[in-house]
Amino acid sequence: MSKKGVVLLNIEKSFGGNKVLKNLSLEVKSGEFLVLLGPSGCGKTTTLRCIAGLEKVDKGKIFIGDRDVTELPPSKRNISMVFQNYAVFPHMKVYNNIAFGLKMRKFPRQEIDKKIKEVSKLLKIDNLLDRFPSQLSGGQKQRVAVARALAVDPDVLLMDEPLSNLDALLRAEMRTELKKLHRDLGTTTVYVTHDQIEALSLGDRIAVMFDGEIVQISNPKEIYEFPSTIKVGEFIGIPSMNFLKARYENGEIFIGNQKFELSDKIRNEIERKKLKEFIIGIRAENIEIYANKCRGSLCSKILLKEELGYTQLLTLKIEDFTIKAFSKAEIGLGIDNYVYIKFREDKIRFFDCNTRKLIF
Amino acid sequence: MKIFKKFAQIITFTIISLWVLLPVFLITVSTFSSKQEVYKWPKNLLPKDFSLESIKFFFSSYGTISSFKNSLIVAFITLILVLFISIPSAYAFSRYYFKGRESLKIFILMTRMLPIPLLAVPLTSFYITLSLYDNLLGVALIHTAMALPFSIIILSGIFIRISKEYEEAAIVFGASKLKAFLKILLPLSLPGIAAMLIFTFITSWNEVFAASILTVENRTLSAHILNLLDASPLYFKYAGGFFLSVPAIIFIFFIRNYLMKMWGGF
Amino acid sequence: MKLNEKYFPYVLLLPLLLYILLFFFNPFFNALKLAFFDENNKFTLIYFRELLRDPRFFSAIKYTLMFAVTIVPLQLITAFLIALFINRNFKGSKTLLFICSIPLAISDLAAGLIFLSIFTEHGFLNSFFYFLGLIKKPVYFLSYENIPLLFTSILIAEHWRATAIVLIILIAGLQMIEKDYIDAANVFGANFFKRIFYIIIPLLKPSIQSALIIRTLFAFQMFAVVIALAGDMIPVLSGETYFWYYIYRNSHIASCYAVVIIILSLLLTAIYLKFLTYKEPVYENI
Ligand SMILES: Nc1ncnc2c1ncn2[C@@H]1O[C@H](COP(=O)(O)OP(=O)(O)O)[C@@H](O)[C@H]1O
Ligand SMILES: [Mg+2]
């Protein structure tokens, strides 16, 4: 199984006057499953199409392995792709769809046959080879598209929101399967999605993209716990990370008028970095909720209670800020009552007010 | 109330169908009548005898058979020319954005609005210098000009409806642009292309003005019949009308499901 | 490489552009030349003066215009009514649509001959009237002694032949109107006629406009129907062009007629465009 990395160096791409990719650089390690995650319209598809060679870049270089492919047509790049709408050729049977890439590469007939048996087994579509795409369900078409992409032993596999057209149940099932496939085959994969759950569960690493730029690239846990900017923290995780403005005065931290007690270690860090005003980020599951006031707790009002079955999601108002928190146990207090909350200290993140970037 | 509605529907259906079909039926009856029957007065409303006399006369008149053949040849050349010009043009219109695309599209539609007399009369002298006058190729050339605007617009519409993703998939999997076109777009748009070609055939088959002006000896069927209108008996005219219509009606049957799609763009 | 890509669509269009040059521009300018320049390539109006001296010229203009202003509205109305009917999507509406589109395949010459079998004195209409007891002797529908009757016969034949295209354009337009609008109108209590006048016709305007322009332009080129049914008894512009070239071999006068046709066509299109603002159909982006 071939494995090659991909490197994008200072890529720029415009459509008309609209600059879609702005000096984008990205390294995909060989054998890695990299997820390109970002809101719709941020340029993910364009990035993928540049790697595939379907779009010519205006500036920058693209390497696959150690080959400079910037000027090569798609057919010379040995990549393959799973399209958002599958693009399974409607006039060819499943067999011929999967065989297409191999035929273009002029493989001998027996080898094509062997290869098709192999991948169709792998994707559990070996009983569908004789059908036309119109006789397949969405999930089956999806499998054909993946099989077709894998059959050619690509150096890099590109997938553009491959699960977005499936219903929720199938999507979860296919997600697991794709993960397993990658574990077994180890094909270098670039996977585009706007769905963070997909990204978190599939990616070895995630590249978060906003507005034609990659703002953070790291493993899922790191991205979740240490979002590099406030925007990333807002975009990733359900619910979004909570953000509260805080200030450091006379050796104490305040949120609004409430004093916020933190350990010396953090206070020293703030002191050392000479922070005056900053933004605190904390995730909903890292907030502890108490019915009574206790040491170091902040007072907040319940605005909304949502029952999620395994837990409750509370919307709370603390000073001028609205935050969301999970309450593990039923607290027995209703809307408009006051609760006391504490943040898990090791999970608190500090962001710069102006640059909105992570400080520590 | 419901029954009344249903009844009204059936009546309307019948009236409209009769209005369209009756003339076709009547020319068929006339064509299969004997010479005397054609001139008889009053006629039997339902035909009594069935005779091939008119048809025999029609086909045995000087020039009919060869004009029939000429019409087919002209239509065939037209199809080939239209195919080779409209496919690349429609591909360009549907797959590329380029400067002047929309204006060119509108311009092409406008060319179709040029009156045929305006094209045909001046072409005669042009054709004489090229020795295309009284030449089937010459007729096919102007029929192509007449058919091109619609066939390009129709074909662009067909291509646009086929997702670009298919060709891109082919290209990603190692096909060249030409191969992607031949293996993906062409087979996928084949029914549409066939419909377009049939429409082109009908256009050429039916055209009479240019064909009459640009030929003397090598007449198409339409031109042949028009030329003989003054001098021919009724039964010749009826058979002429019938045989002009039949191939076109048969062909339009095959593209009945495409008519909407072809004209949807207007 | 990049340059190539940029010019590739133009390369694809090259045959078409060449064709336009040879078979549209070339004859177009040649027609102007034939109409306005004499053998020595000098500008002249003698051909037009000759044209104006020809009494048939004014009749041709008169009848051509008369055909255009009678046939086109008639066709629009019938096609609109049939389109509304077919658009009800009852069982058999597809069949009816196909039946109605049959004349689309029939040429003007053939349509003329088909209706000749109906209108001639030995034709079916006379026999039919006889059997109804309305007449004792055949009526001469196609005679110069009764031009209005002759005109009407041609009108009927042309209406029969060319309504199909209007119908198809209108139905295509109707199908693009979202049913939601009509449902909404229904919910708000619009009756049948209100729905037609306040919802359907305004939304159908682009289609009506296309049909109107296409049909009017082709009405100016009416030719073989007229000749098949009336010979030269009713002069029309295209017919005169044909006669001048075909019989008198005078390509100058014939070109003058052709130029008059295009001038009238442009004039009428301009009027339509002025009074009915026309939006180009938006083609899907690629
Ligand atoms: N072929 C194109 N022509 C013009 N603009 C385009 C084209 N493709 C993409 N864009 C624009 O580029 C931006 C990014 O698009 P895309 O890469 O498809 O985003 P994503 O896949 O992240 O949703 C969008 O604003 C889109 O409108
Ligand atoms: Mg996308």
Side-chain angles (χ1 to χ4, degrees):
Chain A
M1 187 67 42
S2 47
K3 280 190 196 181
K4 278 183 187 158
V6 180
V7 175
L8 305 186
L9 262 184
N10 308 106
I11 299 296
E12 285 185 15
K13 174 77 191 170
S14 306
F15 290 111
N18 179 13
K19 207 164 197 183
V20 174
L21 301 182
K22 301 162 186 164
N23 198 25
L24 180 138
S25 294
L26 172 68
E27 188 189 349
V28 188
K29 294 176 188 144
S30 95
E32 165 176 62
F33 197 117
L34 183 107
V35 176
L36 205 51
L37 172 68
S40 171
C42 70
K44 305 177 301 283
T45 299
T46 307
T47 311
L48 210 62
R49 290 168 59 87
C50 286
I51 300 176
L54 290 170
E55 302 284 358
K56 282 237 150 68
V57 298
D58 299 339
K59 260 192 202 156
K61 292 226 164 291
I62 300 174
F63 296 89
I64 294 177
D66 41 22
R67 223 159 39 117
D68 180 353
V69 299
T70 317
E71 293 298 326
L72 293 183
S75 54
K76 299 260 166 64
R77 298 190 182 195
N78 198 32
I79 40 108
S80 66
M81 190 157 170
V82 176
F83 290 80
Q84 186 165 7
N85 301 308
Y86 318 132
V88 174
F89 306 132
H91 60 305
M92 295 182 191
K93 287 186 173 170
V94 170
Y95 183 97
N96 286 327
N97 258 290
I98 303 176
F100 190 86
L102 299 166
K103 281 185 184 162
M104 288 297 130
R105 286 166 172 73
K106 304 219 158 53
F107 274 55
R109 192 180 282 271
Q110 309 95 294
E111 213 163 314
I112 293 179
D113 217 51
K114 201 174 126 238
K115 196 78 211 169
I116 290 178
K117 289 227 170 80
E118 208 179 293
V119 289
S120 59
K121 272 226 182 67
L122 202 60
L123 280 143
K124 301 179 193 130
I125 48 170
D126 41 340
N127 56 334
L128 305 176
L129 292 176
D130 227 17
R131 293 212 194 156
F132 278 104
S134 55
Q135 301 164 298
L136 301 179
S137 69
Q140 288 169 330
K141 274 188 211 160
Q142 172 69 72
R143 284 164 187 275
V144 174
V146 176
R148 179 176 67 177
L150 290 175
V152 294
D153 271 340
D155 290 340
V156 183
L157 174 61
L158 308 171
M159 299 203 224
D160 190 358
E161 313 218 8
L163 305 184
S164 61
N165 283 335
L166 301 179
D167 61 55
L169 219 66
L170 257 177
R171 201 179 308 165
E173 184 191 320
M174 214 42 209
R175 206 168 65 204
T176 317
E177 203 149 333
L178 284 180
K179 179 124 188 150
K180 194 166 146 286
L181 262 177
H182 180 257
R183 203 187 55 215
D184 294 347
L185 301 176
T187 315
T188 310
T189 306
V190 183
Y191 183 105
V192 160
T193 182
H194 66 267
D195 180 340
Q196 42 157 327
I197 299 190
E198 236 168 85
L200 293 169
S201 72
L202 277 173
D204 293 331
R205 286 195 304 154
I206 297 174
V208 184
M209 192 168 178
F210 288 124
D211 223 4
E213 287 172 302
I214 287 178
V215 289
Q216 185 171 16
I217 174 160
S218 200
N219 63 47
K221 184 138 186 79
E222 175 112 354
I223 297 232
Y224 187 77
E225 297 226 332
F226 294 91
S228 65
T229 67
I230 288 178
K231 214 170 160 189
V232 175
E234 277 171 345
F235 183 64
I236 286 171
I238 298 177
S240 299
M241 196 178 227
N242 298 304
F243 293 100
L244 309 96
K245 207 164 185 176
R247 59 183 193 281
Y248 186 64
E249 267 173 29
N250 313 325
E252 296 291 353
I253 300 164
F254 291 91
I255 295 175
N257 291 325
Q258 299 192 46
K259 202 163 92 179
F260 184 38
E261 285 187 29
L262 283 172
S263 66
D264 289 346
K265 196 180 138 213
I266 291 181
R267 285 224 298 268
N268 289 340
E269 191 69 24
I270 291 170
E271 189 79 52
R272 207 168 57 77
K273 292 203 155 82
K274 298 197 174 58
L275 301 178
K276 285 274 170 290
E277 283 206 317
F278 46 86
I279 290 168
I280 286 176
I282 184 84
R283 291 213 176 264
E285 66 272 25
N286 298 324
I287 299 174
E288 289 154 11
I289 299 173
Y290 304 96
N292 301 308
K293 193 176 171 81
C294 52
R295 207 186 113 77
S297 67
L298 299 160
C299 179
S300 70
K301 190 166 135 187
I302 303 176
L303 293 181
L304 206 65
K305 258 169 104 169
E306 291 168 69
E307 185 57 63
L308 300 180
Y310 59 97
T311 180
Q312 285 180 320
L313 180 62
L314 303 185
T315 305
L316 304 171
K317 190 163 170 88
I318 167 169
E319 298 293 309
D320 287 339
F321 308 104
T322 306
I323 64 170
K324 298 210 174 212
F326 288 120
S327 126
K328 272 147 225 145
E330 168 65 50
I331 45 162
L333 289 169
I335 287 174
D336 285 344
N337 284 307
Y338 287 89
V339 289
Y340 297 89
I341 55 173
K342 272 175 144 182
F343 297 165
R344 278 182 60 184
E345 205 175 279
D346 57 324
K347 301 291 185 187
I348 299 175
R349 306 290 169 245
F350 294 85
F351 295 85
D352 189 292
C353 276
N354 297 316
T355 63
R356 299 177 83 78
K357 284 192 172 140
L358 183 70
I359 306 171
F360 67 93
Chain B
M1 190 60 195
K2 216 170 173 189
I3 287 191
F4 172 75
K5 245 187 180 166
K6 187 96 202 156
F7 188 69
Q9 202 166 64
I10 291 172
I11 296 283
T12 317
F13 183 101
T14 315
I15 291 175
I16 299 174
S17 316
L18 263 185
W19 160 241
V20 177
L21 291 178
L22 197 61
V24 180
F25 172 75
L26 293 178
I27 190 81
T28 312
V29 170
S30 307
T31 306
F32 288 97
S33 301
S34 62
K35 290 179 187 174
Q36 298 106 300
E37 180 70 23
V38 163
Y39 286 102
K40 203 173 131 196
W41 200 89
K43 277 186 193 320
N44 306 309
L45 278 192
L46 288 173
K48 273 232 178 75
D49 63 338
F50 172 88
S51 157
L52 293 177
E53 220 177 348
S54 304
I55 294 178
K56 270 189 200 134
F57 177 84
F58 176 70
F59 279 105
S60 61
S61 350
Y62 174 76
T64 303
I65 301 258
S66 69
S67 72
F68 219 103
K69 250 187 350 215
N70 289 344
S71 269
L72 288 176
I73 293 170
V74 167
F76 182 74
I77 302 174
T78 307
L79 291 189
I80 304 280
L81 288 172
V82 164
L83 209 56
F84 277 94
I85 299 173
S86 65
I87 285 183
S89 314
Y91 187 80
F93 281 129
S94 62
R95 289 295 185 261
Y96 289 93
Y97 184 80
F98 53 88
K99 242 193 169 138
R101 185 179 73 175
E102 294 310 306
S103 337
L104 188 59
K105 253 186 187 166
I106 294 168
F107 177 76
I108 287 171
L109 261 182
M110 273 165 43
T111 57
R112 182 62 182 97
M113 304 304 168
L114 283 184
I116 295 153
L118 189 80
L119 300 181
V121 173
L123 272 181
T124 49
S125 52
F126 181 61
Y127 274 11
I128 289 167
T129 58
L130 295 175
S131 44
L132 280 172
Y133 188 70
D134 196 19
N135 185 323
L136 296 182
L137 177 61
V139 180
L141 283 170
I142 188 165
H143 285 182
T144 305
M146 289 167 53
L148 270 181
F150 283 168
S151 54
I152 286 173
I153 299 293
I154 290 167
L155 208 52
S156 307
I158 291 165
F159 284 171
I160 272 181
R161 266 180 238 124
I162 296 172
S163 165
K164 213 179 167 185
E165 233 182 34
Y166 293 125
E167 284 150 85
E168 286 179 345
I171 285 171
V172 160
F173 289 111
S176 63
K177 266 208 163 104
L178 182 67
K179 256 211 171 121
F181 170 76
L182 292 175
K183 296 221 156 203
I184 309 296
L185 187 58
L186 200 61
L188 283 179
S189 51
L190 213 53
I193 293 177
M196 181 273 279
L197 286 181
I198 286 178
F199 207 77
T200 304
F201 174 89
I202 293 175
T203 306
S204 167
W205 179 266
N206 282 345
E207 200 286 320
V208 59
F209 191 100
S212 304
I213 289 222
L214 295 171
T215 56
V216 180
E217 289 291 319
N218 293 308
R219 298 199 171 281
T220 62
L221 186 60
S222 305
H224 172 67
I225 294 169
L226 184 74
N227 183 42
L228 292 180
L229 269 189
D230 278 346
S232 57
L234 276 182
Y235 41 88
F236 176 89
K237 294 180 185 174
Y238 295 163
F242 178 76
F243 283 103
L244 272 179
S245 309
V246 166
I249 292 181
I250 291 173
F251 272 132
I252 209 157
F253 178 76
F254 290 115
I255 56 169
R256 62 191 181 286
N257 294 328
Y258 260 88
L259 290 172
M260 234 34 157
K261 279 187 199 154
M262 294 200 307
W263 290 92
F266 280 89
Chain C
M1 186 72 199
K2 258 194 179 141
L3 221 65
N4 252 338
E5 188 76 348
K6 200 173 153 198
Y7 290 111
F8 189 54
Y10 296 106
V11 174
L12 289 173
L13 288 168
L14 210 60
L16 173 67
L17 297 175
L18 207 70
Y19 215 89
I20 289 179
L21 203 69
L22 277 180
F23 289 93
F24 287 104
F25 278 115
N26 168 36
F28 181 78
F29 288 109
N30 251 322
L32 294 181
K33 196 173 148 228
L34 282 169
F36 289 106
F37 290 86
D38 63 14
E39 262 78 38
N40 308 319
N41 271 330
K42 276 182 66 182
F43 179 81
T44 175
L45 288 174
I46 51 165
Y47 305 121
F48 270 97
R49 255 182 239 131
E50 197 171 333
L51 189 72
L52 292 177
R53 274 200 302 272
D54 179 3
R56 284 181 67 86
F57 172 67
F58 293 102
S59 318
I61 288 199
K62 182 180 101 188
Y63 284 117
T64 306
L65 285 176
M66 271 171 66
F67 276 126
V69 300
T70 47
I71 288 183
V72 178
L74 268 178
Q75 283 178 329
L76 266 178
I77 293 166
T78 10
F80 183 65
L81 292 178
I82 298 177
L84 281 183
F85 182 61
I86 288 179
N87 205 43
R88 295 163 62 105
N89 275 328
F90 52 92
K91 206 175 142 207
S93 59
K94 270 229 165 90
T95 315
L96 186 61
L97 177 59
F98 168 62
I99 291 175
C100 287
S101 53
I102 285 177
L104 203 61
I106 293 175
S107 71
D108 44 354
L109 177 59
L113 296 173
I114 288 173
F115 275 83
L116 186 67
S117 78
I118 295 174
F119 289 128
T120 178
E121 66 262 33
H122 310 287
F124 288 100
L125 194 60
N126 268 322
S127 297
F128 183 64
F129 283 167
Y130 178 81
F131 280 101
L132 290 183
L134 296 175
I135 53 173
K136 288 271 170 298
K137 272 187 182 163
V139 180
Y140 289 85
F141 294 105
L142 306 176
S143 133
Y144 63 91
E145 283 165 10
N146 198 340
I147 293 289
L149 214 50
L150 182 56
F151 184 88
T152 312
S153 306
I154 297 169
L155 195 71
I156 290 172
E158 181 68 359
H159 179 275
W160 177 83
R161 180 188 76 86
T163 304
I165 189 66
V166 185
L167 179 69
I168 299 265
I169 293 175
L170 291 189
I171 288 184
L174 272 181
Q175 286 178 350
M176 279 197 280
I177 296 180
E178 292 202 22
K179 245 190 133 293
D180 288 358
Y181 294 130
I182 295 165
D183 288 345
N186 259 333
V187 168
F188 291 115
N191 66 24
F192 180 72
F193 291 101
K194 284 206 172 122
R195 283 205 302 274
I196 288 183
F197 284 104
Y198 293 117
I199 311 287
I200 295 179
I201 291 185
L203 286 173
L204 207 56
K205 214 165 149 189
S207 304
I208 293 178
Q209 212 153 31
S210 315
L212 201 60
I213 291 176
I214 288 177
R215 272 309 307 150
T216 308
L217 293 181
F218 283 108
F220 280 128
Q221 299 178 43
M222 265 178 76
F223 163 63
V225 193
V226 183
I227 292 190
L229 286 171
D232 58 3
M233 287 182 283
I234 288 194
V236 285
L237 289 170
S238 283
E240 292 308 293
T241 319
Y242 171 77
F243 291 133
W244 273 100
Y245 184 79
Y246 195 73
I247 298 171
Y248 312 125
R249 292 282 148 187
N250 189 333
S251 52
H252 292 288
I253 304 283
S255 293
C256 288
Y257 269 104
V259 168
V260 170
I261 295 177
I262 185 133
I263 289 173
L264 280 179
S265 306
L266 287 177
L267 220 63
L268 234 96
T269 314
I271 291 172
Y272 281 145
L273 290 180
K274 192 164 167 56
F275 285 102
L276 308 150
T277 40
Y278 179 65
K279 264 216 215 100
E280 265 306 309
V282 181
Y283 293 97
E284 294 155 65
N285 256 332
I286 43 166

Tab-separated table of all heavy atoms in Angstrom, chain A residues 40-41 44-46 84 160-161 192, ligand 2:
chain	number	residue	atom	x	y	z
A	40	SER	N	-19.264	26.198	6.053
A	40	SER	CA	-19.526	26.127	4.632
A	40	SER	C	-19.096	27.425	3.948
A	40	SER	O	-19.295	28.507	4.474
A	40	SER	CB	-21.017	25.860	4.564
A	40	SER	OG	-21.485	25.943	3.374
A	41	GLY	N	-18.420	27.275	2.828
A	41	GLY	CA	-17.976	28.456	2.086
A	41	GLY	C	-16.593	28.948	2.465
A	41	GLY	O	-16.131	29.954	1.942
A	44	LYS	N	-12.918	24.823	1.752
A	44	LYS	CA	-12.455	23.438	1.925
A	44	LYS	C	-12.452	22.694	0.600
A	44	LYS	O	-11.465	22.068	0.219
A	44	LYS	CB	-13.368	22.694	2.916
A	44	LYS	CG	-13.522	23.358	4.243
A	44	LYS	CD	-14.480	22.610	5.138
A	44	LYS	CE	-15.888	22.449	4.577
A	44	LYS	NZ	-16.724	23.650	4.660
A	45	THR	N	-13.596	22.775	-0.096
A	45	THR	CA	-13.681	22.070	-1.373
A	45	THR	C	-12.620	22.578	-2.339
A	45	THR	O	-11.971	21.796	-3.025
A	45	THR	CB	-15.087	22.263	-1.972
A	45	THR	OG1	-16.034	21.716	-1.066
A	45	THR	CG2	-15.213	21.573	-3.309
A	46	THR	N	-12.447	23.897	-2.349
A	46	THR	CA	-11.445	24.477	-3.243
A	46	THR	C	-10.056	23.915	-2.921
A	46	THR	O	-9.302	23.550	-3.832
A	46	THR	CB	-11.453	26.003	-3.110
A	46	THR	OG1	-12.792	26.460	-3.296
A	46	THR	CG2	-10.556	26.643	-4.133
A	84	GLN	N	-18.871	14.661	-3.166
A	84	GLN	CA	-19.992	14.910	-2.255
A	84	GLN	C	-21.277	14.239	-2.733
A	84	GLN	O	-22.013	13.678	-1.954
A	84	GLN	CB	-20.195	16.418	-2.113
A	84	GLN	CG	-21.229	16.759	-1.076
A	84	GLN	CD	-21.161	18.228	-0.695
A	84	GLN	OE1	-20.435	19.011	-1.298
A	84	GLN	NE2	-21.914	18.603	0.313
A	160	ASP	N	-14.714	14.639	-0.101
A	160	ASP	CA	-15.398	15.913	0.092
A	160	ASP	C	-16.770	15.673	0.703
A	160	ASP	O	-17.697	15.273	0.007
A	160	ASP	CB	-15.524	16.638	-1.243
A	160	ASP	CG	-16.009	18.069	-1.057
A	160	ASP	OD1	-16.274	18.452	0.105
A	160	ASP	OD2	-16.113	18.786	-2.052
A	161	GLU	N	-16.902	15.908	1.968
A	161	GLU	CA	-18.163	15.716	2.693
A	161	GLU	C	-18.871	14.445	2.243
A	161	GLU	O	-20.042	14.507	1.841
A	161	GLU	CB	-19.085	16.912	2.496
A	161	GLU	CG	-18.352	18.214	2.688
A	161	GLU	CD	-19.175	19.271	3.393
A	161	GLU	OE1	-20.271	18.958	3.884
A	161	GLU	OE2	-18.682	20.400	3.491
A	192	VAL	N	-12.809	16.249	3.972
A	192	VAL	CA	-13.408	17.569	4.186
A	192	VAL	C	-14.777	17.428	4.829
A	192	VAL	O	-15.573	16.590	4.417
A	192	VAL	CB	-13.564	18.302	2.836
A	192	VAL	CG1	-14.579	19.410	2.941
A	192	VAL	CG2	-12.223	18.852	2.389
D	2	MG	MG	-17.728	22.157	-0.133
